[in-house]
């Protein structure tokens, strides 16, 4: 069964506010593959582990019917509250028990979620619901992020990573899938035609507040909060203070470039 890490309403709200949509390079990589495999146009696209819908929105811009699924009712409620696109709907269900008929899904996608799934059961379900000739696109961003701002990019990145390293001490063991660049997920995909791309770099427009909010949205930080709320809050406050001082600004709304590396597993049945 899917590991449930984003259940609470408070966490879901933070997730919706601060998690970012798939970057342009990742989007183009996925769309180019689907076009190459002639999976476009597609009638039914499913976003598994959709959270508050950031990836679902991207898919809805390109496909006729998109269904976002997640095991968390709170996340699905956030998604429903923030998306008014007429071709999108949301369902609460486990990734391993998708309510779709056999061979009915044209594209099965998952953004920064597959490492929480029961991999064997999920892959069996993907094999069942994806039609012959249909595709999967499973991606995540990695933990080696960087920040760029004027002449202080290197120092800013060091401050971010020092904070991130503290938070990662509270990581669930399933983070290993991310640290290994989704290698195990790629190997588990039962489709004969598949590939894994590990070097997709995206610039995500952010503010200082957004960067700190992203850290707050991470599941290890939420575990940190449960274990030692004062220390967790203090870490983010101190990190934000150091970032602002390094940048020589006072506003949390100051823009900063947030660079992420994506890994993407693509397959055609």
């Amino acid at each position: 069964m899917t590991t449930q890490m984003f259940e609470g309403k408070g966490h879901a709200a933070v997730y919706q506010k601060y998690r970012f949509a798939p970057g342009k390079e990742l989007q183009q990589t996925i769309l180019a593959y689907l076009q190459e495999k002639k999976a476009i146009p597609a009638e039914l696209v499913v976003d598994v582990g959709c959270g508050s819908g950031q990836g679902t929105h991207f898919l809805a811009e390109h496909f006729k019917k998109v269904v976002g699924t997640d095991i968390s009712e709170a996340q699905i409620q956030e998604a429903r509250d923030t998306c008014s696109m007429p071709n999108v709907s949301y369902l609460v269900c486990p990734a391993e028990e998708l309510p779709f008929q056999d061979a009915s899904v044209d594209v099965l996608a998952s953004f920064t979620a597959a490492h929480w799934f029961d991999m064997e059961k999920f892959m069996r379900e993907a094999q069942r619901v994806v039609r012959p000739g249909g595709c999967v696109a499973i991606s995540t961003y990695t933990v080696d992020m960087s920040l760029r701002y004027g002449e202080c990019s290197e120092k800013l990145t060091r401050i971010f990573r020092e904070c991130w390293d503290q938070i990662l001490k509270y990581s669930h063991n399933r983070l290993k899938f991310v640290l290994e660049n989704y290698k195990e997920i790629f190997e588990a995909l039962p489709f004969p035609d598949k590939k894994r791309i590990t070097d997709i770099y995206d610039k995500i427009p952010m503010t200082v507040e957004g960067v700190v909010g992203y850290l707050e949205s991470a599941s290890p930080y939420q575990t940190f909060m449960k274990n030692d709320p004062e220390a967790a809050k203090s870490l983010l406050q101190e990190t934000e203070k150091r970032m602002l001082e390094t940048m020589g600004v006072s506003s949390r709304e100051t823009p900063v470039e947030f660079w992420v590396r994506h890994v993407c597993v693509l397959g055609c049945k």
Side-chain angles (χ1 to χ4, degrees), residues 2-162:
T2 302
T3 303
Q4 295 175 246
M5 296 293 291
F6 305 89
E7 288 293 284
K9 290 183 179 179
H11 190 188
V14 170
Y15 199 93
Q16 191 284 319
K17 184 175 182 180
Y18 293 114
R19 284 299 176 107
F20 43 88
K24 290 182 180 179
E25 289 298 320
L26 176 61
Q27 291 184 25
Q28 290 171 3
T29 298
I30 292 171
L31 292 173
Y33 180 82
L34 297 180
Q35 287 168 345
E36 176 193 338
K37 299 302 176 183
K38 297 180 171 55
I40 295 176
E43 289 296 313
L44 175 60
V45 178
V46 178
D47 180 12
V48 186
C50 68
S52 47
Q54 285 84 345
T56 321
H57 297 175
F58 149 60
L59 295 170
E61 293 172 357
H62 298 277
F63 301 104
K64 184 176 179 180
K65 181 181 179 181
V66 180
V67 181
T69 75
D70 202 282
I71 198 169
S72 167
E73 291 185 15
Q75 290 280 6
I76 289 295
Q77 191 58 54
E78 286 288 341
R80 287 173 174 155
D81 289 347
T82 54
C83 180
S84 58
M85 300 175 80
N87 60 331
V88 174
S89 60
Y90 292 100
L91 297 171
V92 178
C93 68
E96 305 83 359
E97 299 173 20
L98 298 172
F100 303 102
Q101 294 181 354
D102 295 358
S104 64
V105 175
D106 296 293
V107 177
L108 191 70
S110 184
F111 300 96
T112 319
H115 46 282
W116 299 114
F117 304 162
D118 180 314
M119 201 50 56
E120 183 179 346
K121 291 181 179 178
F122 171 67
M123 290 301 180
R124 195 158 56 234
E125 194 69 340
Q127 178 78 292
R128 182 185 70 80
V129 302
V130 175
R131 67 165 174 80
C135 292
V136 298
I138 303 171
S139 67
T140 186
Y141 42 79
T142 62
V143 299
D144 51 342
M145 300 156 180
S146 62
L147 299 174
R148 296 184 192 174
Y149 183 85
E151 301 298 315
C152 62
S153 300
E154 189 175 328
K155 187 173 181 181
L156 208 56
T157 296
R158 186 165 63 248
I159 292 168
F160 173 84
R161 289 187 175 173
E162 286 172 2

Side-chain angles (χ1 to χ4, degrees), residues 228-248:
D228 192 342
E230 291 305 316
K233 291 176 185 176
S234 177
L235 176 64
L236 290 194
Q237 289 170 353
E238 181 61 23
T239 298
E240 181 176 293
K241 180 182 175 185
R242 291 175 66 197
M243 288 176 63
L244 292 172
E245 288 175 350
T246 299
M247 295 165 68

Side-chain angles (χ1 to χ4, degrees), residues 5-6 10-11 14-15 18-19 116 163-172 175 211-239:
M5 296 293 291
F6 305 89
H11 190 188
V14 170
Y15 199 93
Y18 293 114
R19 284 299 176 107
W116 299 114
C163 177
W164 197 214
D165 287 345
Q166 288 292 106
I167 291 170
L168 288 177
K169 292 177 182 178
Y170 294 87
S171 293
H172 193 281
L175 191 67
V211 172
V212 175
Y214 165 74
L215 291 167
E216 183 184 358
S217 77
S219 58
Y221 180 79
Q222 296 296 315
T223 303
F224 189 8
M225 275 286 291
K226 291 175 183 175
N227 282 268
D228 192 342
E230 291 305 316
K233 291 176 185 176
S234 177
L235 176 64
L236 290 194
Q237 289 170 353
E238 181 61 23
T239 298

Side-chain angles (χ1 to χ4, degrees), residues 172-211:
H172 193 281
N173 60 13
R174 284 181 171 269
L175 191 67
K176 69 177 183 177
F177 292 110
V178 177
L179 298 175
E180 294 169 356
N181 291 314
Y182 269 21
K183 182 175 183 290
E184 196 169 332
I185 291 173
F186 170 74
E187 291 172 349
L189 182 64
F191 295 178
D193 182 341
K194 60 183 180 179
K195 65 179 179 178
R196 179 174 64 119
I197 306 170
T198 61
D199 56 352
I200 304 166
Y201 291 91
D202 264 308
K203 177 178 71 173
I204 310 296
M206 284 274 211
T207 62
V208 174
E209 179 191 4
V211 172

